[in-house]
Amino acid sequence: MKVFIYPTNSLILSDLVERFGHEPLAIMQEVGKKVRSQGLDSPPMNITPEDPKFGLKYAAVEVPSGVRGRMSLFDPLLQNAEAAIVVRDPVISFGCMGCARTNELVNFLLRAKKIPLLELDYPSNEEDAKEFVYKISEFLKSLKPADLKIQTNIENPKTPLIFQKEKK
Amino acid sequence: MSTENPKGIGQSSCAGCGMEKEAEPGFQQALKKITTTENLVRIAQLSCGAEYSGIQKEIDSAVKQVNAVMVYPEVDTADIEAIEEEFGLKVASPDLKLIMARAKSIVTGKTQVDAVFVATCFRCAEAALVRSEIRRYIHEKTGIPVISYSFTERTTAGTLLTRMEALTTTARRKSLLAREKQSGLTAGIDSGSTTTKAIIMKDDKIIGKGWVPTIKVLESAEEAYANALKEAGVKREEIQALGTTGYGRFLIGEHFKADLVQEEITVNSKGAVYLAGKQKGTATVLDIGGMDNKAISVLDGIPGMFTMGGICAGASGRFLEMTAKRLGVGITELGALALKGKAANVKMNSYCIVFGIQSLVNSLAAGSTPEDVAAAACHSVAEQLFEQQLQEIDVKEPVIMVGGTALIEGLPKAVEELLKVKVIVPDNAQYIGAVGAALLASGFISK
């Protein structure tokens, strides 16, 4: 399954999801596209003023441009998410999303999507850390194998649920 | 770490309504000159959201054109994690913690920079608090010039250019800006968006003035300069040094082979404290221009913090001009009219230049007196300046109002009422830019 991770740049979460046979949806892949895509001259971030405009899909114009620009990056991840793991209050070194307003919106959209969702606090000691990893592993084991691609759109009820076999 | 990324200049736009303002004429050629002749200035960028708004290229382009380079103060994760306790401000966004940690890196001397640019997303309340506090923190602890800015995805290099130019001028030309007396025979021309002013100075005295509406930039400058020379009774070739400022400074600077071509923030603040006799200590300079406003916090005649622009033209001199026209009086009569009226008697529903005028027209139709309407117009402009710009600087007395609008008596009065301080309007307030340019140009005579 495609599992959205939060913080979306957490290498630890990304690694855990992969180890249990799922595909992590991490921001690195979207940033990577921006860096590798041709036509503009600015690695490291080829975000243009068009991206915040695309972000209007998620937030109105009175929402800061930084939030909307971030949302344009998260869009494909949110669209493709079939499950999600959200870690609350992580330390910066675990993974960090810079804008609190974006984080609130992303978490809300994940909850609204009604996909399997695991929310848990960042551990503060070794015992909690073991429990943390255990909960994540149990959650990942409980997910369906990655043979079904499920797209849901709770925000727009006119869009039907689509089930299709993933190409192998 | 630094990045450089050249890009052509675009248009600047109003963050509120998206209206666009043309870039300043002739600046691209002139800035090439700056790039090749002036010292490199290191500006620290403390920002949140600039990359995600797609404007980092615009920022990099603007700093490159003023021969500056953006640097990003080094911090480690421990610094970021500790900063809320140390700084005393708790925020939810990690990027804001990062910019607070970077500010501390500058204040403690871990990172050496000449100037600081603090920028966050427009309409982000949390970021606005951080922006304001770290601007004050850096300036108070280090004296390094700081400018703060809130951007949208429409922010362009053109919008940022004058601000970056002022920031680098302040960092680069401290000794020139410290000049307190004019010497020799010099001229200053201020090519504003609405009017062009010229001043001839000799041995620290104004001896000639010229003032014309700006129609064609070069022709208006020629006319104002010729008038000033005529009044002074001197010939053009006798002028030892000439300085230009204002919206058309690059174009006229090239035309007149000016010794000094400098943006209006540093020049006007110098002219203001000079004319007001307040060159030592703190001062706040307010200049409501025809097209944009400046609010400058000054120490010993040198700008420390400043803002430029306004959310909309409703806060500009243009709004007052339109009000005067609607009331059937000249712009010079509007101020006296406003002094007789009471702003509270007129309901203004909008700051917008279009809807604001509509409110005034409706009030007239409902029986309001022209005096009250004139007072309401002045109050509206002052209130916008107060709400949109003065929050970005520290207002310290004396408050000096300059520019042509300072002569509209109702306006300084409205500012006094809002700020609860006495506002100084020096003699020749409308010539402030030209005086500042003539004063600073005298620093080039020995060269």
Side-chain angles (χ1 to χ4, degrees):
Chain A
M1 280 182 101
K2 295 185 180 195
V3 182
F4 189 101
I5 56 169
Y6 176 93
T8 55
N9 59 356
S10 171
L11 294 174
I12 294 171
L13 280 182
S14 179
D15 181 57
L16 272 171
V17 170
E18 247 174 353
R19 279 173 190 240
F20 284 88
H22 299 286
E23 183 186 335
L25 296 175
I27 197 69
M28 292 77 88
Q29 65 206 56
E30 295 307 316
V31 172
K33 285 178 198 165
K34 292 283 177 186
V35 175
R36 289 187 292 272
S37 62
Q38 292 182 343
L40 291 165
D41 57 351
S42 95
M45 291 286 271
N46 272 336
I47 293 180
T48 72
E50 290 307 306
D51 291 82
K53 287 178 193 160
F54 183 81
L56 288 168
K57 174 179 175 183
Y58 290 100
V61 74
E62 69 260 28
V63 174
S65 51
V67 175
R68 289 183 280 113
R70 286 176 167 96
M71 291 311 296
S72 73
L73 275 183
F74 292 135
D75 176 64
L77 305 179
L78 289 164
Q79 286 296 313
N80 291 323
E82 294 165 340
I85 300 169
V86 172
V87 177
R88 290 186 290 253
D89 302 323
V91 294
I92 287 171
S93 52
F94 179 76
C96 177
M97 292 170 66
C99 171
R101 300 292 90 79
T102 310
N103 301 350
E104 287 158 8
L105 183 56
V106 166
N107 284 333
F108 166 75
L109 291 170
L110 287 173
R111 289 177 199 123
K113 208 166 157 62
K114 307 291 183 203
I115 53 177
L117 172 67
L118 174 68
E119 288 193 64
L120 68 176
D121 292 327
Y122 184 76
S124 56
N125 56 46
E126 199 174 331
E127 276 309 303
D128 287 351
K130 286 177 187 166
E131 180 72 11
F132 176 80
V133 175
Y134 175 75
K135 279 183 182 169
I136 292 173
S137 62
E138 286 301 303
F139 175 74
L140 289 168
K141 280 183 210 165
S142 75
L143 298 177
K144 290 177 196 170
D147 59 351
L148 276 178
K149 186 179 179 186
I150 305 168
Q151 290 183 345
T152 57
N153 193 342
I154 300 297
E155 292 301 296
N156 185 357
K158 286 181 183 171
T159 306
L161 294 176
I162 302 164
F163 294 86
Q164 63 182 66
K165 277 275 184 194
E166 191 151 67
K167 287 175 189 169
K168 289 188 177 174
Chain B
M1 178 187 154
S2 69
T3 58
E4 290 182 48
N5 209 335
K7 194 184 172 189
I9 299 296
Q11 303 273 302
S12 62
S13 64
C14 163
C17 63
M19 292 297 287
E20 290 191 338
K21 189 171 83 176
E22 279 188 16
E24 295 164 345
F27 65 69
Q28 278 179 326
Q29 299 89 321
L31 283 168
K32 273 183 194 161
K33 201 171 156 188
I34 293 175
T35 309
T36 52
T37 57
E38 300 267 24
N39 298 334
L40 187 76
V41 171
R42 284 164 57 84
I43 304 174
Q45 181 178 332
L46 309 185
S47 64
C48 176
E51 302 92 341
Y52 290 98
S53 296
I55 61 149
Q56 187 56 47
K57 290 191 283 295
E58 303 296 325
I59 295 172
D60 292 336
S61 172
V63 297
K64 187 175 172 60
Q65 288 173 80
V66 293
N67 200 27
V69 63
M70 275 302 182
V71 297
Y72 303 88
E74 293 281 338
V75 291
D76 54 40
T77 47
D79 294 330
I80 300 168
E81 278 160 0
I83 194 65
E84 284 178 300
E85 285 298 324
E86 290 177 15
F87 195 71
L89 182 58
K90 288 202 179 289
V91 291
S93 295
D95 273 359
L96 294 176
K97 294 175 194 173
L98 174 64
I99 67 175
M100 291 196 292
R102 284 181 162 161
K104 192 188 162 202
S105 174
I106 295 165
V107 167
T108 56
K110 194 173 162 188
T111 305
Q112 299 285 328
V113 291
D114 306 307
V116 181
F117 176 64
V118 187
T120 60
C121 293
F122 180 57
R123 296 189 177 112
C124 178
E126 184 181 43
L129 291 174
V130 174
R131 195 176 69 232
S132 177
E133 293 312 320
I134 63 169
R135 168 183 52 72
R136 188 172 292 127
Y137 168 67
I138 295 169
H139 186 62
E140 283 177 4
K141 301 276 183 190
T142 67
I144 295 173
V146 186
I147 183 168
S148 70
Y149 189 74
S150 60
F151 53 78
T152 70
E153 68 269 34
R154 288 174 177 270
T155 295
T156 63
T159 320
L160 298 167
L161 197 69
T162 301
R163 294 164 176 88
M164 292 297 182
E165 199 191 339
L167 196 59
T168 51
T169 299
T170 308
R172 204 177 257 149
R173 295 184 175 172
K174 273 197 170 157
S175 59
L176 180 69
L177 293 173
R179 172 169 284 270
E180 292 184 1
K181 283 189 174 180
Q182 185 272 348
S183 56
L185 180 62
T186 62
I189 306 175
D190 177 3
S191 176
S193 60
T194 309
T195 57
T196 301
K197 289 76 66 178
I199 281 287
I200 309 296
M201 291 184 80
K202 187 180 180 186
D203 300 334
D204 215 25
K205 284 193 173 65
I206 295 169
I207 59 168
K209 299 179 220 172
W211 182 100
V212 297
T214 303
I215 300 165
K216 288 183 178 174
V217 172
L218 282 179
E219 287 172 20
S220 300
E222 278 286 358
E223 191 185 344
Y225 190 29
N227 292 347
L229 287 166
K230 190 178 172 188
E231 190 179 305
V234 296
K235 290 177 184 162
R236 192 174 289 207
E237 53 273 23
E238 292 176 74
I239 297 295
Q240 293 172 284
L242 184 143
T244 63
T245 189
Y247 169 75
R249 64 189 176 281
F250 296 118
L251 198 62
I252 63 167
E254 187 73 23
H255 176 74
F256 290 107
K257 304 278 181 283
D259 302 275
L260 174 88
V261 178
Q262 200 160 300
E263 37 58 49
E264 52 270 39
I265 291 169
T266 50
V267 173
N268 286 13
S269 54
K270 195 68 211 169
V273 294
Y274 172 79
L275 285 180
K278 303 285 181 189
Q279 301 218 50
K280 290 289 178 201
T282 61
T284 304
V285 177
L286 307 179
D287 181 3
I288 298 175
M291 210 160 66
D292 50 37
N293 304 335
K294 295 118 207 155
I296 312 158
S297 184
V298 180
L299 178 64
D300 295 336
I302 299 175
M305 290 182 275
F306 53 87
T307 68
M308 185 183 172
I311 291 302
C312 101
S316 71
R318 189 80 69 199
F319 177 71
L320 296 174
E321 212 170 57
M322 287 174 70
T323 303
K325 196 174 171 190
R326 182 62 188 80
L327 292 174
V329 298
I331 186 72
T332 52
E333 299 164 87
L334 185 74
L337 201 64
L339 287 181
K340 294 177 200 159
K342 204 170 174 188
N345 291 342
V346 173
K347 194 178 175 189
M348 294 271 303
N349 291 323
S350 174
Y351 282 150
C352 168
I353 194 162
V354 177
F355 298 120
I357 292 290
Q358 201 173 37
S359 289
L360 297 179
V361 170
N362 290 342
S363 298
L364 285 171
S368 290
T369 65
E371 288 83 358
D372 286 347
V373 166
C378 290
H379 180 81
S380 172
V381 170
E383 197 172 58
Q384 274 200 77
L385 179 76
F386 178 64
E387 290 182 3
Q388 313 282 5
Q389 287 194 272
L390 295 184
Q391 314 305 321
E392 295 283 328
I393 64 161
D394 284 344
V395 177
K396 289 181 178 165
E397 290 187 74
V399 175
I400 307 166
M401 273 194 84
V402 294
T405 54
L407 303 180
I408 301 169
E409 298 95 324
L411 193 55
K413 184 185 168 227
V415 173
E416 276 183 355
E417 285 168 359
L418 281 165
L419 294 181
K420 313 273 187 261
V421 297
K422 176 87 183 134
V423 170
I424 299 171
V425 179
D427 287 342
N428 296 309
Q430 71 274 40
Y431 292 102
I432 212 84
V435 170
L439 167 65
L440 294 174
S442 67
F444 288 79
I445 290 178
S446 57
K447 295 177 187 175

